[in-house]
Amino acid sequence: MTADRRTRLWSLVVEHAQGRPVTVEHVCAAVMSATGLDGAAVTVLGTGFRQTVYASDDVASDLAELTLTLGEGPAADAVAGAPELVADLTAPDCLVRWPVFAPAAMRTGVCASFALPLRVGAARIGVLDLYRARPGGLDREQLADVLMLADTVCALLLDAAQHNRSRPDGRWPEQVGLHHPEVHQATGMVTVQLGVSAAVALIRLRAYAYSHDRRLRDVASDVVARRLRFGPHLDRGSDEGGGTDR
């Protein structure tokens, strides 16, 4: 039965690829076709940061960015290693568990969220984050399909990481592509500006975005463009210590 499922799902992935090399995008499209879910995003984990490498649509992108900005939600918890399958974000336990994320996700049009960790042994690679615009869970067959296709995403990311290490410029190959590379770049700049680790720099970026009700990628773009510079007091809810750095 497992072999039959693998064959069926791989055929679906190949169908979406339409003769081109298979990428994360095609696997995510197959996930949505197999389950009836509305969108998907893939986030990879690095030292002190996360990067969204694929999002099927604006809602999936917003959902991944909410997780990155707020540091909570199913995808944030799935990093620990267990799938987070949330059939209804309006449920009282969800509002208690993710008091900021759940209402924000619902405002973007997400009612159900399913996050699958991407791991090889003890190595944490990333998260496959899926959503549905209406409440509703996954049945047993759908969950089996998602888990199997998540393994395929994991294999593609590992292959891309291997290519990445072998490239002189250290960039991800085009078939993966960073969705918002400016967040990673801004994190590096803030580490220099404040003399802190990448993890702390990302926390400062998140705090600033949250306190100013802005998207993390927009704040990152301002940092990269030198319209915003982080100082000792910038994350206190004002622009003190900021300004243009020329």
Side-chain angles (χ1 to χ4, degrees):
M1 190 66 179
T2 299
D4 290 342
R5 172 172 272 117
R6 288 188 183 278
T7 300
R8 174 176 60 82
L9 293 175
W10 183 248
S11 296
L12 190 57
V13 171
V14 170
E15 179 183 333
H16 282 286
Q18 297 181 342
R20 295 166 292 176
V22 171
T23 68
V24 167
E25 176 182 358
H26 305 134
V27 181
C28 287
V31 171
M32 291 184 285
S33 295
T35 61
L37 294 175
D38 296 311
V42 174
T43 299
V44 296
L45 306 177
T47 304
F49 67 89
R50 303 182 187 189
Q51 289 180 324
T52 301
V53 297
Y54 172 74
S56 61
D57 55 25
D58 288 342
V59 175
S61 179
D62 287 345
L63 191 65
E65 187 170 348
L66 280 174
T67 301
L68 181 60
T69 302
L70 302 175
E72 67 175 46
D77 289 356
V79 171
E84 292 288 343
L85 310 175
V86 183
D88 187 357
L89 283 168
T90 66
D93 60 325
C94 292
L95 296 173
V96 170
R97 188 176 180 187
W98 305 302
V100 182
F101 173 87
M106 287 184 285
R107 286 194 296 271
T108 69
V110 174
C111 288
S113 177
F114 310 94
L116 289 299
L118 303 173
R119 299 171 66 102
V120 176
R124 300 182 298 174
I125 297 173
V127 178
L128 172 61
D129 198 5
L130 307 163
Y131 82 86
R132 177 174 280 154
R134 65 185 188 283
L138 298 172
D139 63 30
R140 188 172 180 177
E141 293 297 311
Q142 290 172 330
L143 180 57
D145 288 347
V146 168
L147 292 172
M148 198 164 286
L149 288 168
D151 286 343
T152 304
V153 172
C154 194
L156 289 171
L157 291 177
L158 286 172
D159 184 61
Q162 182 62 40
H163 281 85
N164 182 44
R165 283 193 293 270
S166 67
R167 290 167 62 100
D169 58 5
R171 296 177 61 189
W172 286 84
E174 291 182 2
Q175 65 264 31
V176 175
L178 294 177
H179 200 65
H180 297 305
E182 64 271 21
V183 174
H184 179 44
Q185 188 177 353
T187 300
M189 293 175 68
V190 174
T191 64
V192 175
Q193 292 170 8
L194 298 178
V196 296
S197 68
V200 173
L202 181 56
I203 290 171
R204 293 288 293 268
L205 283 165
R206 282 176 172 171
Y208 184 88
Y210 177 70
S211 64
H212 288 75
D213 195 24
R214 298 185 62 195
R215 294 175 182 270
L216 181 62
R217 64 174 179 260
D218 292 338
V219 172
S221 294
D222 281 350
V223 172
V224 172
R226 302 183 185 278
R227 292 187 293 267
L228 178 65
R229 180 181 176 84
F230 274 63
H233 308 295
L234 188 58
D235 61 347
R236 293 183 180 175
S238 71
D239 287 338
E240 182 181 356
T244 303
D245 177 20
R246 299 189 185 280

